[in-house]
Amino acid sequence: MAVKVELSYAEHPKAIDKKGNYTSIEVQYLVFGVTTEEEALTAVHGKAPAESKGLPLDSIEIDTRETNDTFRVNAIYREEEVEVGDSGGDDDDETPTESFDCGGGTKHLLYSFGQRKVYGDKDAGGAIGWNGKSGDDCEIAGVDVPTAQLRETYTKPMKISKLTTSFKRKVAALVGKVNSGSFKGWNAGEVMFLGMSYSTPAKKAKKVTVSFNFAIQPNESGVKVAGKSVTKKGFEYVWAISKTVASSGTPKLEVEGIYVDQVCEYASFSGLGL
């Protein structure tokens, strides 16, 4: 399929200052017949005019991937900034500062690591709070136990001009996602993005301090579920199905199946610029 670039909308987001002069314009394109972000960016770069309403082309950014070979891409026009007395370089070159917090939380356990039968003729099979019934009436209450809750926040200065609507959409799309590759020393599957925050200090400020928040849940191997060893990634979910059998004439609870579910989507955090 040949590469085709079309305007997505006839109207586009625009902003003007108090004098009525345009300060920013976002023009959205649909790119067909490409399979990579680089191809989509290159196609729009060759199509987008060098200026719009007197504003120069500032950047071209991926908005969304619509299908396997279709991308929505934004061409962003804005007035050029002249920073006087800025001793630092581009904010993207600055190393973000890191804050780390390891607090206490809880996790719910249905099966114990070791269970002793003190009295009675029923074998709970390690289930915590089994009501002694079988079939649909079987219930396992479980118990909450302490566990670590890890949080990391990365803070860096960014140019306000780069905090575009398309960048905010990209950030919003990553909230709740888990890292598909290694990130800041953590392995794939261990980091969940919780969101970004900032506040503009003044009308004429060129930069603002932006915070990116993450939850950490280390991957685990050898996790014991009813005596069985299970390997899981940090944000995967482990659960089991139990059944009641007769052993020497007394009811016994056994695990019929153990399952590991991926309950969060995986994504790359490279677009955050950290």
Side-chain angles (χ1 to χ4, degrees):
M1 179 179 179
V3 177
K4 184 169 63 172
V5 180
E6 295 181 355
L7 284 173
S8 180
Y9 300 109
E11 302 296 331
H12 309 286
K14 303 179 181 69
I16 59 175
D17 60 19
K18 60 184 180 181
K19 296 180 180 180
N21 299 318
Y22 285 100
T23 58
S24 67
I25 297 174
E26 290 187 24
V27 181
Q28 196 168 85
Y29 293 89
L30 282 174
V31 184
F32 304 91
V34 295
T35 57
T36 67
E37 293 181 349
E38 289 75 17
E39 290 176 326
L41 292 171
T42 299
V44 173
H45 186 269
K47 176 77 171 182
E51 67 173 43
S52 177
K53 302 290 185 182
L55 298 178
L57 178 63
D58 180 78
S59 63
I60 298 174
E61 302 176 0
I62 297 292
D63 189 341
T64 58
R65 184 169 194 158
E66 301 295 306
T67 66
N68 186 53
D69 61 357
T70 305
F71 290 81
R72 197 179 296 274
V73 181
N74 290 335
I76 300 169
Y77 299 83
R78 62 169 56 88
E79 56 187 351
E80 293 182 309
E81 296 178 353
V82 178
E83 298 188 23
V84 180
D86 186 0
S87 58
D90 194 320
D91 52 277
D92 288 340
D93 296 330
E94 297 189 39
T95 302
T97 58
E98 173 190 351
S99 62
F100 173 79
D101 175 72
C102 180
T106 60
K107 64 179 178 180
H108 194 70
L109 292 183
L110 295 179
Y111 291 88
S112 66
F113 301 122
Q115 187 179 70
R116 301 191 317 272
K117 183 171 68 174
V118 178
Y119 176 80
D121 60 354
K122 293 183 179 181
D123 185 349
I128 303 170
W130 175 42
N131 65 352
K133 298 181 179 181
S134 61
D136 294 339
D137 296 326
C138 175
E139 294 182 0
I140 303 174
V143 65
D144 291 331
V145 299
T147 188
Q149 285 191 334
L150 285 66
R151 297 286 188 272
E152 283 188 350
T153 297
Y154 292 90
T155 304
K156 66 177 292 185
M158 293 183 66
K159 290 181 179 179
I160 294 177
S161 61
K162 292 192 175 182
L163 299 172
T164 62
T165 301
S166 59
F167 180 74
K168 293 173 185 176
R169 286 196 187 104
K170 183 184 299 183
V171 167
L174 288 174
V175 173
K177 302 292 196 303
V178 175
N179 61 319
S180 58
S182 60
F183 179 77
K184 300 296 183 182
W186 298 100
N187 295 325
E190 295 186 320
V191 184
M192 176 183 287
F193 181 49
L194 299 180
M196 176 192 81
S197 63
Y198 71 90
S199 59
T200 306
K203 289 184 177 180
K204 295 184 179 180
K206 299 296 184 181
K207 292 184 180 181
V208 66
T209 300
V210 183
S211 296
F212 298 86
N213 304 303
F214 301 88
I216 312 297
Q217 183 66 50
N219 296 338
E220 298 177 88
S221 60
V223 179
K224 296 296 183 181
V225 179
K228 308 294 184 181
S229 292
V230 178
T231 297
K232 63 177 285 292
K233 291 187 176 181
F235 289 93
E236 289 182 330
Y237 176 69
V238 178
W239 60 285
I241 293 178
S242 299
K243 66 177 180 179
T244 305
V245 297
S247 177
S248 301
T250 61
K252 179 181 179 181
L253 195 66
E254 289 186 349
V255 172
E256 188 173 24
I258 299 174
Y259 307 88
V260 177
D261 283 334
Q262 177 189 334
V263 294
C264 300
E265 293 183 42
Y266 292 102
S268 170
F269 296 157
S270 59
L272 298 177
L274 295 173

